[in-house]
Amino acid sequence: MLGGITGCRTVVDAQQELAELTDLSPLQVQSTAPAAEVRPKSSASPKTIEAAEAALSSSVIQNDPKAIRPQRVDSRGWYLDSSVPLYLAFHLREPRWHHRALESLLDQPISSQEVLEAGTESLDPEIKATAWIGLVRSGAEVQDADLAELIQNPQVTATTKGALLEAITDTTIISQLFAERDNLIADTELKDDFSGQQLQEQFWYSLATTVPSVRSDERFTADFIEQPAEIQQTLLDLMLTDSTSEVPASVTQRFENLSPEVLRRVNLWHSYLRTVAPIDVLSDASRSPNFSTRENATIGLGREGSHAAEALLLDVSDSAPTLLQTAAIVAWGLMPQHEEWPRLAETTSWRVRLAIAQWIPLTSRNLETIQKLKEDNSHLVRQAMLARSTTPAEPVVERKPPAKPKPLLKKEMDLSPEEVVGLLDQIDQAEHATDAAARTTAREQLLLAPDKVLAAVDQVARTLVQYENDYLFEVLLPQCDPAFLRLQEATQGSSQMTLIALRDLELRSEQAPLPELILWRLGQHTHRFNSLDWQTIMGIVKQDKRPATESLVRQAIGHDDPLVRMRACEHVTQFPLPDVVHPLEDSLEHESPDVRCAAIRALSKLDGPNHREMFVTMLLDREVDVQLAAAQALDEANDPRGVQHIYRMTYSSSRETRLKGARAIAARQNQVDLPELIRLLDDETSIRKAALEGLSSLVPAENNPPPKNTVISLEAQSIAWKNWFDRQSLKR
């Protein structure tokens, strides 16, 4: 009987067990091919195939002899990581489809090649597809035709087909599958409509990876208007990083007669801002009270690429919240080559540095910055940089960003009271002297001493606010310092000229403090300023704590525009004003959550007996960001109710809420949070990343368990941290 079985041995090894010798199943034949090649089919025994099916199924318990406890991998099969935006995934070309059981198998120190090869012989098409994809990701040689055959199998679910599409690299096969996509989706077993949309998106994504230019390929642009809104959103994101040509008219005309309200209703507003919107729309949207609108408008500034866009990006990169700075990095990555990367890489935020590692061009002139990112303190930044090519391209000709206006350099000069009085008398004579010769003489003497004039005016700025002297403000000071000419335009010109002049003053204030008299005079003309003007004024005084700014800030705290009020609250946070408590308390009831958050942060810097109880009340706010701001304010005041609420956020059913709680815990940098961060390693990908970053920054670098300067999976890093924590617990 044994002689008739295929693969029966003719020589019996005495050391083999009896059970193996009497096994009637086909036996494996040792392959002499390289490890990267797939062995012939029908080489695995039924038991091996069964074991492979168990390892690649949706729920697996794995025992590691080095671990204290067995690890359970709960997976819903293949799923799309929606935490990474489509335009970023297309730029990085990293896998978007994940399967926890497969990724856990690939992370094992023992080779998983045999298990994956056995899985390809399974009768279950889902297991078979997962095994083929695993072989692709492990570097084995796989025929794309085998993957395409599974995509055409109606028993394979939509999410699995999406992962199969991602694994195919043959341009011809992708084009053929794309042409048949409607029939393939119709014949696919759909768990829900959402999975069908994800598969449709993957067809376009895979096709985009095979064409030289998305914007020039008619399959993406010819019938853009007829496509559903979901497909239009996908196409716009795929066009974002393509800088080879302009966005075609067939795409832009779709948005010519649509208002922002309509675009929001069809969920195209943010994609429109990123890829199509002109500079005037982007400029207005970058000051919107809605955070997502500001974020996407900032990215759109990089795609627009004009000098005006660069000027706006410089402001966002230096002073905006961290997430907006991250969007600004994306924008810098979309712009023509510039010289900002070394300066941007000096930021203290690891999230911003991570974005730099993802978007910095790999050119020779950026070699020094790239090397710094490879040695960054954050392991996420190091991994992102190492995952990209380390060989810089040939040197390229890069254009410089527009130079900022340089204000007139003034020497510091202290005048005695007698000298100041003498100059003021000359100024009075230059305007009011009855003798024309006396007026002319006084004016000549003043014009010959501009430094003294500016020093004298600066020493008595508050007194001169109400002084009526047309020669001083309209002739003398504008000739001594161009900033006073901008003041004149801002207080006497048209509404459009007012905004232009104020923005010029804002750029000058970033280089050196403006003369205090300019701030006092602006405070006398606030009645003529609209919302955009006020937003610019708050940018002028954002780093200024002189008395001249106080009246402007007090008026801005009660302004109708949410962004103006929010910036005023931020100013109070940095430079507290004790007499603004009541306006800030009123802002706690403002309809904008950003204003409520800013008011909480400002009140936390002021002394007040009832503030803690107010913050406890704000823990019940309908917006998570407001709850988090209140909890952090309580935590800063050493009130345990704050950190307890942050812990509760990590148990929420909302992924976004858990993610914000995880980031808040990581930002505390407190050793007592170690158990919470370890617990969060069992959550979803984005939350796990936040917990890993918190652990790596909380624990000294020499004690971090994951290896340095190597690219390892999140699963492997999580296991290393859990084992480290178990060892620390045993030591206690």
Side-chain angles (χ1 to χ4, degrees):
M1 177 181 65
L2 292 175
I5 301 298
T6 304
C8 179
R9 302 188 181 122
T10 58
V11 179
V12 177
D13 189 345
Q15 297 181 356
Q16 298 293 333
E17 295 183 1
L18 180 61
E20 182 180 354
L21 297 177
T22 56
D23 187 5
L24 303 183
S25 59
L27 302 178
Q28 285 190 339
V29 179
Q30 295 297 327
S31 175
T32 59
E37 296 183 2
V38 181
R39 287 183 281 184
K41 295 184 178 181
S42 302
S43 61
S45 66
K47 289 184 178 180
T48 306
I49 297 176
E50 183 179 354
E53 290 176 340
L56 297 172
S57 63
S58 297
S59 182
V60 184
I61 297 180
Q62 294 180 347
N63 294 281
D64 189 342
K66 297 181 180 180
I68 296 178
R69 56 183 180 273
Q71 180 186 7
R72 182 178 182 84
V73 180
D74 293 321
S75 172
R76 55 181 181 271
W78 285 100
Y79 65 95
L80 183 67
D81 185 4
S82 56
S83 63
V84 180
L86 180 63
Y87 59 84
L88 176 58
F90 185 67
H91 168 70
L92 297 177
R93 303 296 173 91
E94 294 180 351
R96 300 191 306 151
W97 293 92
H98 299 281
H99 192 289
R100 291 183 177 177
L102 174 63
E103 292 170 357
S104 178
L105 179 64
L106 294 175
D107 290 336
Q108 298 300 318
I110 303 175
S111 175
S112 57
Q113 188 83 3
E114 293 80 4
V115 177
L116 295 174
E117 292 173 4
T120 60
E121 301 179 33
S122 173
L123 297 179
D124 186 340
E126 291 289 325
I127 299 294
K128 188 174 184 179
T130 302
W132 280 119
I133 298 171
L135 287 171
V136 172
R137 295 191 178 183
S138 64
E141 183 180 345
V142 175
Q143 297 296 325
D144 286 345
D146 293 331
L147 305 180
E149 182 181 353
L150 285 168
I151 292 177
Q152 296 171 341
N153 188 337
Q155 296 180 357
V156 178
T157 61
T159 52
T160 306
K161 288 186 177 182
L164 287 166
L165 268 173
E166 186 181 59
I168 297 177
T169 58
D170 188 283
T171 302
T172 304
I173 293 179
I174 290 178
S175 298
Q176 291 175 353
L177 293 173
F178 179 81
E180 302 172 6
R181 67 188 184 282
D182 293 335
N183 294 331
L184 292 175
I185 295 176
D187 295 339
T188 299
E189 179 183 345
L190 298 178
K191 295 181 179 180
D192 48 46
D193 293 338
F194 185 61
S195 62
Q197 295 175 6
Q198 291 178 332
L199 178 57
Q200 181 77 264
E201 176 186 290
Q202 184 60 46
F203 273 109
W204 288 102
Y205 182 94
S206 297
L207 181 65
T209 61
T210 65
V211 299
S213 171
V214 176
R215 297 181 183 179
S216 302
D217 194 296
E218 293 186 354
R219 288 173 291 186
F220 294 90
T221 60
D223 299 325
F224 182 86
I225 297 179
E226 286 75 19
Q227 299 289 351
E230 297 81 6
I231 302 301
Q232 292 180 0
Q233 182 179 3
T234 299
L235 298 181
L236 290 174
D237 282 349
L238 294 174
M239 293 178 189
L240 177 61
T241 57
D242 180 12
S243 59
T244 57
S245 61
E246 296 293 332
V247 178
S250 59
V251 177
T252 56
Q253 65 183 5
R254 168 74 171 89
F255 305 97
E256 290 179 353
N257 300 317
L258 297 181
S259 65
E261 291 74 16
V262 174
L263 292 175
R264 291 189 184 97
R265 193 177 305 122
V266 297
N267 202 24
L268 284 175
W269 173 238
H270 293 158
S271 299
Y272 165 74
L273 290 176
R274 288 194 297 264
T275 312
V276 183
I279 184 62
D280 54 340
V281 176
L282 294 173
S283 178
D284 293 339
S286 64
R287 293 176 169 82
S288 169
N290 183 275
F291 179 82
S292 296
T293 298
R294 296 204 307 275
E295 180 183 22
N296 290 283
T298 301
I299 296 174
L301 290 172
R303 179 265 313 157
E304 203 276 339
S306 65
H307 292 281
E310 287 190 14
L312 291 173
L313 277 180
L314 287 171
D315 181 48
V316 176
S317 302
D318 294 335
S319 59
T322 300
L323 294 180
L324 278 182
Q325 290 185 29
T326 303
I329 297 302
V330 179
W332 286 117
L334 296 174
M335 295 188 77
Q337 288 77 16
H338 50 81
E339 298 179 349
E340 295 296 325
W341 291 115
R343 182 183 65 84
L344 295 171
E346 298 297 327
T347 180
T348 57
S349 171
W350 67 267
R351 293 188 180 88
V352 178
R353 298 199 306 276
L354 175 60
I356 294 173
Q358 294 170 337
W359 289 93
I360 183 172
L362 302 179
T363 58
S364 57
R365 70 177 308 154
N366 294 327
L367 187 59
E368 184 177 353
T369 305
I370 292 171
Q371 188 61 34
K372 288 183 179 179
L373 294 172
K374 290 180 181 178
E375 301 172 356
D376 195 88
N377 293 331
S378 170
H379 72 281
L380 294 179
V381 178
R382 294 196 303 269
Q383 289 178 5
M385 196 69 260
L386 290 169
R388 300 181 66 194
S389 173
T390 56
T391 304
E394 292 297 323
V396 294
V397 179
E398 302 180 356
R399 69 181 181 90
K400 298 181 179 180
K404 295 181 179 179
K406 296 183 178 180
L408 181 66
L409 297 178
K410 303 180 286 296
K411 298 180 180 179
E412 295 293 336
M413 185 179 297
D414 292 328
L415 303 179
S416 65
E418 292 77 12
E419 291 177 309
V420 173
V421 171
L423 284 170
L424 292 178
D425 288 341
Q426 285 185 338
I427 291 172
D428 187 68
Q429 287 192 12
E431 174 68 17
H432 301 294
T434 55
D435 186 5
R439 291 198 304 271
T440 301
T441 302
R443 293 181 179 185
E444 289 177 352
Q445 293 176 349
L446 291 171
L447 290 174
L448 292 174
D451 293 338
K452 288 186 176 181
V453 171
L454 293 174
V457 167
D458 192 59
Q459 289 182 223
V460 292
R462 189 164 190 172
T463 306
L464 292 177
V465 175
Q466 302 293 342
Y467 185 49
E468 296 295 337
N469 190 314
D470 293 340
Y471 173 74
L472 172 64
F473 293 110
E474 297 181 8
V475 179
L476 179 59
L477 289 178
Q479 293 190 53
C480 294
D481 188 343
F484 283 96
L485 178 60
R486 299 293 174 263
L487 170 67
Q488 186 179 1
E489 295 170 349
T491 55
Q492 298 179 9
S494 62
S495 58
Q496 184 177 5
M497 182 60 68
T498 296
L499 181 59
I500 295 174
L502 289 174
R503 287 181 174 173
D504 184 83
L505 289 175
E506 183 181 9
L507 291 175
R508 293 174 181 275
S509 68
E510 295 175 357
Q511 303 174 66
L514 295 176
E516 193 171 3
L517 180 58
I518 291 180
L519 302 179
W520 285 114
R521 296 285 289 184
L522 287 176
Q524 297 296 314
H525 296 82
T526 55
H527 60 279
R528 63 177 281 121
F529 298 147
N530 57 32
S531 297
L532 290 177
D533 298 336
W534 268 105
Q535 293 172 17
T536 308
I537 289 174
M538 296 314 299
I540 294 174
V541 304
K542 63 183 176 182
Q543 299 295 332
D544 201 327
K545 61 178 180 179
R546 290 176 294 180
T549 65
E550 295 181 4
S551 62
L552 292 171
V553 174
R554 290 190 184 95
Q555 295 181 64
I557 288 178
H559 200 277
D560 294 336
D561 187 273
L563 187 56
V564 176
R565 185 178 295 210
M566 181 179 66
R567 290 190 173 183
C569 293
E570 293 172 351
H571 190 280
V572 174
T573 302
Q574 190 172 3
F575 309 112
L577 297 175
D579 56 345
V580 295
V581 172
H582 293 301
L584 289 175
E585 292 176 350
D586 293 339
S587 295
L588 293 177
E589 301 180 359
H590 196 274
E591 61 182 4
S592 171
D594 292 335
V595 173
R596 299 200 296 274
C597 291
I600 290 172
R601 287 189 287 267
L603 284 172
S604 67
K605 303 299 181 181
L606 305 177
D607 295 330
N610 300 321
H611 291 171
R612 289 194 186 182
E613 298 306 319
M614 287 182 180
F615 297 155
V616 172
T617 303
M618 300 304 291
L619 294 177
L620 303 177
D621 194 274
R622 61 184 179 274
E623 294 291 338
V624 176
D625 290 336
V626 180
Q627 297 179 26
L628 182 58
Q632 290 174 328
L634 289 169
D635 189 34
E636 291 177 1
N638 296 322
D639 192 318
R641 292 174 290 184
V643 68
Q644 289 171 5
H645 187 80
I646 295 176
Y647 287 167
R648 286 195 296 271
M649 291 174 62
T650 61
Y651 290 93
S652 172
S653 59
S654 168
R655 184 191 65 84
E656 182 180 2
T657 302
R658 298 199 307 277
L659 177 59
K660 291 179 178 179
R663 288 174 175 171
I665 294 174
R668 292 183 76 235
Q669 292 293 287
N670 196 320
Q671 291 288 338
V672 300
D673 296 331
L674 278 175
E676 295 296 324
L677 293 173
I678 293 294
R679 175 177 61 82
L680 292 173
L681 294 178
D682 293 325
D683 212 309
E684 294 188 10
T685 301
S686 56
I687 301 170
R688 188 182 303 181
K689 287 181 179 179
L692 287 171
E693 182 59 35
L695 287 168
S696 62
S697 59
L698 183 59
V699 178
E702 60 272 13
N703 296 334
N704 282 187
K708 308 300 184 296
N709 295 331
T710 57
V711 180
I712 61 176
S713 68
L714 290 177
E715 188 70 26
Q717 294 178 53
S718 301
I719 292 173
W721 276 107
K722 290 177 184 178
N723 293 338
W724 172 86
F725 184 73
D726 289 339
R727 292 193 298 270
Q728 299 300 316
S729 300
L730 291 176
K731 291 179 182 179
R732 300 190 187 96

